Amino acid sequence: MLALDAVIRDRLYSDVVLIRQVAEYIIGSGGKRLRPAMVLFSAGAAGYTGNYHREMAAVVEFIHTATLLHDDVVDESELRRGNKTANAMFGNAASVLVGDFLYTRAFQMMVGANSMRVMEVLAEATNIIAEGEVLQLLNCHDADVEVDDYLRVIRYKTAKLFEAATRLGAIMAGASAEVEEGLAAYGMHIGTAFQLIDDVLDYSGDEADTGKNVGDDLAEGKPTLPLIHAMQNGTPEQAASVRKAIEEGGRDDFLAVMHAIRATGAIEATRKVAEGEAELALAALQALPPSTYKDSLVDLAKFAVARKY
């Protein structure tokens, strides 16, 4: 991971000062580095012995960071990881344009892999992520979103990059189709579990731990699984209060919504779905031989659902 950080900082360099300032601010402001770690772990688990997996891990982190920059502008967010967002610090225009720089730098680095397969996986992932962002935008303030619609957004917007990260490790290792598909499935399920827990923490996390404002999703009118569960399992009055909060956005109904979430067991129900995804992820690793890298993937699955930040 230290070697990866060195690659990230080297590849971030630009002669344009503002690009360096914004990119350094984002990369240096924390973050779990889960997605690039999954490239490293999956490559090792599949038997890769070279060094280029660090470049690909950096590519995945740049794509993720670019999506964060654009997300925060779209969502008008002011806090991430306990710090001011880049758009709050530098303005929307700088955030969008530096996000574009990170995307294009990632594609420059992809070319260096000299692999059409790598290009295909990452090009598809970035395209599907963009579709997921638009789907989420369409779902905002829509209280009639079904669970399948919600999960589709998660698969596109979040899980696809996790899936690409673990598939890349297998590709670089020249792994069998069985191992590649197993690692890709692991990444998809972990990404889904990870987002489900993010949605749980939006209603149950400690702001000091999560580094974001509790209730942000509600303020933006996002119909996440805890809200969908509360509407489907609550009293007519509880369902109506959640529906109103989704359709109107803001925080005026936050207390009523929290009451509905607690009364219907929505947090516990969403956690259970996340735990199911983690179990599917672990089952997908069966084709891998024992290794410290496989152990790390197992630990990561446990962290994805047990975390508080």
Side-chain angles (χ1 to χ4, degrees):
M1 294 301 287
L2 288 172
L4 168 64
D5 277 350
V7 171
I8 287 173
R9 296 195 179 282
D10 178 64
R11 295 298 194 175
L12 273 178
Y13 181 79
S14 168
D15 290 333
V16 180
V17 174
L18 182 58
I19 289 176
R20 292 203 304 271
Q21 288 176 331
V22 178
E24 281 283 346
Y25 179 79
I26 290 296
I27 296 293
S29 64
K32 305 172 192 69
R33 295 280 201 275
L34 283 186
R35 295 157 187 80
M38 289 172 75
V39 177
L40 305 181
F41 293 157
S42 60
Y48 182 71
T49 57
N51 293 318
Y52 203 74
H53 59 325
R54 295 168 189 160
E55 289 279 324
M56 290 299 98
V59 166
V60 168
E61 183 69 354
F62 285 177
I63 291 171
H64 173 57
T65 304
T67 66
L68 295 187
L69 282 164
H70 290 167
D71 272 1
D72 287 341
V73 171
V74 171
D75 296 341
E76 299 179 8
S77 300
E78 295 183 356
L79 192 68
R80 183 180 287 279
R81 299 165 182 165
N83 299 308
K84 284 187 176 181
T85 55
N87 48 299
M89 284 286 292
F90 302 97
N92 287 342
S95 292
V96 170
L97 296 173
V98 173
D100 292 344
F101 168 82
L102 288 171
Y103 268 130
T104 52
R105 177 52 54 87
F107 274 84
Q108 282 181 320
M109 294 166 67
M110 286 179 218
V111 174
N114 198 29
S115 167
M116 282 302 296
R117 188 84 178 90
V118 166
M119 288 286 289
E120 178 187 2
V121 168
L122 287 167
E124 179 192 27
T126 52
N127 189 252
I128 287 177
I129 290 166
E131 287 184 326
E133 297 284 1
V134 176
L135 280 173
Q136 182 174 7
L137 183 66
L138 291 173
N139 287 350
C140 275
H141 304 293
D142 183 357
D144 294 316
V145 167
E146 298 288 343
V147 172
D148 286 346
D149 299 324
Y150 161 80
L151 289 174
R152 183 186 178 199
V153 169
I154 285 182
R155 305 275 194 221
Y156 281 30
K157 181 177 176 289
T158 302
K160 190 62 183 180
L161 190 56
F162 280 81
E163 177 189 328
T166 46
R167 189 183 291 277
L168 283 177
I171 291 170
M172 286 185 288
S176 67
E178 181 186 14
V179 168
E180 180 185 327
E181 291 307 318
L183 280 168
Y186 167 89
M188 186 270 292
H189 288 300
I190 288 298
T192 304
F194 187 85
Q195 185 59 56
L196 284 162
I197 295 300
D198 255 13
D199 294 343
V200 162
L201 292 175
D202 198 60
Y203 296 100
S204 64
D206 187 313
E207 290 184 11
D209 291 332
T210 62
K212 60 179 284 190
N213 296 315
V214 172
D216 273 354
D217 287 349
L218 184 68
E220 294 158 15
K222 291 179 181 176
T224 57
L225 189 54
L227 298 181
I228 295 171
H229 180 90
M231 282 191 291
Q232 291 179 343
N233 295 276
T235 64
E237 293 77 14
Q238 289 167 341
S241 68
V242 174
R243 171 176 288 274
K244 178 175 179 286
I246 291 172
E247 291 177 347
E248 296 180 3
R251 299 176 187 275
D252 292 347
D253 299 302
F254 186 68
L255 290 179
V257 169
M258 284 301 301
H259 175 73
I261 285 173
R262 292 189 182 115
T264 58
I267 296 299
E268 295 77 10
T270 305
R271 279 194 180 278
K272 188 172 182 180
V273 177
E275 288 165 1
E277 290 290 332
E279 288 170 7
L280 290 171
L282 292 174
L285 297 178
Q286 289 181 347
L288 290 172
S291 69
T292 56
Y293 298 102
K294 182 179 179 180
D295 292 344
S296 294
L297 291 171
V298 170
D299 289 342
L300 193 59
K302 295 173 182 176
F303 168 76
V305 293
R307 66 194 177 90
K308 299 185 184 302
Y309 62 92

